[in-house]
Amino acid sequence: MGLMSVNYAIEHSINTVAVKALLDVGIENSFEFCKNKLGFNLKGDDKNEAPLALGQLTDGESLLNVTNAYSMLANGGTLAKPRSYYYVTDNYGNILYEYKYKNEYPFIERL
């Protein structure tokens, strides 16, 4: 098929690109990133190609975590903590509480 972007490969489920990207980054680096930065519940058996590149994790992962991880592709590498609200108001429109969040930049898109 020739050269293609990672985004194109994900959109079209071309799994060989996911495995190649995993091997380029390194299994150990990918495992630690998913566990420590994304908060995935990984086990020792997940430290190989099928679980990390294709999502065949030992215990699976929550839809919230997986969706959040994929959202980084659309956000240029920015990891934003999922939230269900931005602020809470009273009956008069006064803001009682505003969600303060900090985006993280877990990887650099291009060097």
Side-chain angles (χ1 to χ4, degrees):
M1 290 189 79
L3 295 177
M4 68 186 73
S5 70
V6 172
N7 285 356
Y8 179 88
I10 290 171
E11 288 171 17
H12 295 88
S13 296
I14 302 170
N15 294 334
T16 54
V17 173
V19 173
K20 174 75 170 114
L22 169 70
L23 295 176
D24 285 349
V25 171
I27 291 175
E28 186 66 34
N29 289 337
S30 297
F31 183 87
E32 292 303 320
F33 176 82
C34 288
K35 190 170 183 172
N36 298 325
K37 289 287 188 181
L38 299 179
F40 280 20
N41 182 27
L42 300 179
K43 308 287 188 238
D45 291 343
D46 295 327
K47 203 181 282 191
N48 68 51
E49 292 89 345
L52 291 174
L54 306 177
Q56 298 172 346
L57 302 174
T58 302
D59 291 337
E61 191 50 66
S62 74
L63 180 59
L64 183 63
N65 277 352
V66 172
T67 304
N68 192 42
Y70 273 108
S71 75
M72 290 189 316
L73 297 173
N75 293 328
T78 301
L79 178 64
K81 295 234 181 230
R83 58 202 172 277
S84 59
Y85 62 90
Y86 291 101
Y87 53 86
V88 175
T89 61
D90 63 15
N91 291 339
Y92 304 102
N94 299 314
I95 296 176
L96 302 175
Y97 177 78
E98 188 169 0
Y99 183 80
K100 303 286 185 203
Y101 61 93
K102 151 183 119 150
N103 292 334
E104 295 182 31
Y105 302 91
F107 65 90
I108 299 171
E109 190 171 342
R110 288 197 171 141
L111 296 177

